[in-house]
Amino acid sequence: MNIHAVICTRSRDDVSETTDKLLAFLCSCGIGVYLLSNAKSLFKAYTGAYQKIDPKPEDIMIFCHDDIEIRESPEEFVRKLTESLSLPKSGFVGPAGTTCLGPEAVWWNQREWQQGKHKGKVLHLNPEGQEYLTPYGPPGDVVVLDGLFLAARKKVIDEVGLEKPEYFEGEWDFYDIHYTSQAFLKGYTNKVIDMNILHNSRGELVGRDSWHKNREAFIANTELPMEIKP
């Protein structure tokens, strides 16, 4: 069994210090890293990289942002991944998600959050560069996951597909909700696992028109709410 990581960046500048640190960590885990620079479409980048890697049936694929720091020992990180994806119906795993994707199709929706339906935790940075923890809830099974870090086995990815749905306009947005909701609908169990990750972003991209257009297209083509029944 091998683990492969695909990291996509739109930057036309040199790779950032954060990305360099991420690459070094993944390599220390024995993970093969595929870095894509200057990509114009995340969907095409992920699809192309996956085809070139051509993973074996038992292999694990990681798709993650280039601005994260994984604060685990290499041994513990690999253990968590392999154990959480060991069951035949294991879907995607990651650090944050929700048991209920409501009619707005926003996984971090405050209403569901207040009802205790979100799971996971992520470290963020405030404008002054200070770290703060966003605790969503305890780890466990979820409907969808946030795309800062996603991992799944080849079988799941082959069934879900990495191509952009024809009803999406934007090339970078809502991939995480699409991928993980498709896995859930196909009978796989998505799971938030206990991972210590710092995300050097506060989610400003949700203000882009393409994010809203893809969200609206997803809503129009999906039966919502989508949730795990108690």
Side-chain angles (χ1 to χ4, degrees):
M1 184 272 294
N2 294 311
I3 304 176
H4 311 273
V6 180
I7 303 169
C8 195
T9 176
R10 286 167 291 181
S11 174
R12 295 186 179 278
D13 301 319
D14 292 336
V15 173
S16 70
E17 182 180 345
T18 299
T19 303
D20 271 337
K21 192 172 183 179
L22 173 62
L23 299 179
F25 173 80
L26 293 172
C27 289
S28 73
C29 297
I31 295 172
V33 180
Y34 202 103
L35 179 66
L36 297 149
S37 300
N38 305 326
K40 294 181 173 60
S41 166
L42 182 142
F43 293 98
K44 290 180 181 178
Y46 279 177
T47 301
Y50 183 70
Q51 291 172 345
K52 289 181 179 178
I53 292 170
D54 190 22
K56 297 177 182 178
E58 67 275 13
D59 287 355
I60 293 173
M61 293 293 307
I62 295 170
F63 301 94
C64 67
H65 289 194
D66 63 347
D67 61 349
I68 65 172
E69 180 180 337
I70 300 172
R71 295 184 170 176
E72 304 275 354
S73 70
E75 297 77 15
E76 188 68 3
F77 178 70
V78 171
R79 182 192 67 78
K80 287 182 178 181
L81 272 190
T82 54
E83 288 186 0
S84 64
L85 293 170
S86 62
L87 299 177
K89 298 306 289 184
S90 295
F92 284 89
V93 300
T98 185
T99 62
C100 178
L101 187 66
E104 301 90 351
V106 177
W107 85 256
W108 63 88
N109 182 283
Q110 290 289 327
R111 180 182 60 249
E112 281 79 31
W113 198 344
Q114 291 171 1
Q115 294 173 354
K117 295 183 178 180
H118 297 345
K119 294 187 178 295
K121 63 181 180 180
V122 179
L123 280 165
H124 292 98
L125 292 178
N126 66 19
E128 290 73 40
Q130 298 169 323
E131 296 180 12
Y132 66 94
L133 180 67
T134 305
Y136 297 107
D141 297 349
V142 292
V143 170
V144 294
L145 291 152
D146 187 273
L148 81 160
F149 180 100
L150 298 172
R153 290 195 181 273
K154 171 182 167 59
K155 178 183 178 182
V156 177
I157 296 166
D158 287 344
E159 289 197 37
V160 168
L162 298 174
E163 299 83 3
K164 183 180 77 171
E166 60 181 15
Y167 51 81
F168 276 2
E169 291 186 37
E171 296 291 343
W172 286 80
D173 302 295
F174 243 70
Y175 64 94
D176 48 358
I177 304 303
H178 170 66
Y179 292 161
T180 55
S181 66
Q182 283 298 304
F184 176 78
L185 291 172
K186 291 179 183 297
Y188 288 100
T189 301
N190 297 322
K191 185 180 291 291
V192 163
I193 59 177
D194 183 17
M195 298 179 66
N196 295 305
I197 289 184
L198 170 66
H199 190 200
N200 288 280
S201 168
R202 291 179 294 134
E204 291 86 349
L205 293 181
V206 299
R208 299 187 317 193
D209 286 345
S210 60
W211 185 86
H212 291 287
K213 288 180 179 179
N214 279 9
R215 182 179 70 89
E216 290 166 3
F218 178 87
I219 292 171
N221 287 273
T222 308
E223 185 176 344
L224 296 170
M226 188 183 303
E227 60 185 317
I228 295 175
K229 302 296 183 181

